[in-house]
Amino acid sequence: HWVGESDRRGGHLDFRSYTYGIYRSEGTVSQRTAGIMGYTLPFTASTGEVWTLSTTLQGDLFNVSDRGLRDDGFRPSAEGLDARVFPQFALGWRLPLVRGDQTSRTIVEPIMSFVAGPRVGAQRRFPNEDSRAIDLDDTNLFRRNRYTGLDRLEGGQRVTYGMNTDWRRFDSGARLAAFLGQ
């Protein structure tokens, strides 16, 4: 994973690369290499709004052979060399509202994001070793790809929104936090 220096606008390039090879005496044998190039541009408005624009371009190369395991729904539908290219765009917005005094602090933060990419369909041509399901929670709701692994991509367009709150009492150390999103 490489992250570049900030440019004059405050944005930065990043590059991630992954590779794996899985050999089985029975079942699907696969090799994969992937590269993801991205650009992220954060912006804080004078009103306190925080905007984040990001784009990515992902390229994957798979090599698959089958050794006769039953079809469990995760086996690829084709053998041989296959590739995919996946561009994606995301725009995020949040507005952290803070109220505090000498004894406590309260943060209320509405959050929204828009993600767009091509529709990817069933993706049965590619092996699925690590992306069996989307498990939504507060840590991944706003991610561009909410699958748990790297083998599946979440395409299409969607809007995600939520509300983050945090209350702290300084003298006792008490804290109450909540997040609600869809």
Side-chain angles (χ1 to χ4, degrees), residues 100-134:
D101 57 32
Q102 293 180 352
T103 61
S104 67
R105 180 192 73 203
T106 304
I107 299 174
V108 176
E109 181 181 39
I111 307 168
M112 184 180 294
S113 74
F114 171 72
V115 177
R119 295 187 188 276
V120 292
Q123 304 180 66
R124 293 260 313 147
R125 294 180 2 225
F126 309 108
N128 185 2
E129 300 291 345
D130 64 359
S131 299
R132 302 294 172 137
I134 293 178

Side-chain angles (χ1 to χ4, degrees), residues 84-100:
R84 67 180 171 195
V85 176
F86 184 72
Q88 200 170 41
F89 165 85
L91 179 64
W93 171 87
R94 58 190 178 96
L95 179 60
L97 303 168
V98 181
R99 178 178 181 236

Side-chain angles (χ1 to χ4, degrees), residues 22-94:
I22 297 175
Y23 175 80
R24 296 179 176 98
S25 58
E26 200 175 285
T28 303
V29 175
S30 64
Q31 297 87 36
R32 174 187 184 211
T33 188
I36 304 169
M37 178 64 85
Y39 179 75
T40 302
L41 179 63
F43 174 73
T44 303
S46 60
T47 58
E49 297 170 283
V50 179
W51 295 87
T52 305
L53 170 70
S54 62
T55 60
T56 57
L57 180 62
Q58 178 171 340
D60 298 296
L61 185 62
F62 293 88
N63 185 35
V64 178
S65 61
D66 184 38
R67 300 205 182 265
L69 192 65
R70 67 179 174 80
D71 187 2
D72 61 359
F74 297 105
R75 192 173 102 190
S77 62
E79 292 188 37
L81 198 59
D82 206 347
R84 67 180 171 195
V85 176
F86 184 72
Q88 200 170 41
F89 165 85
L91 179 64
W93 171 87
R94 58 190 178 96

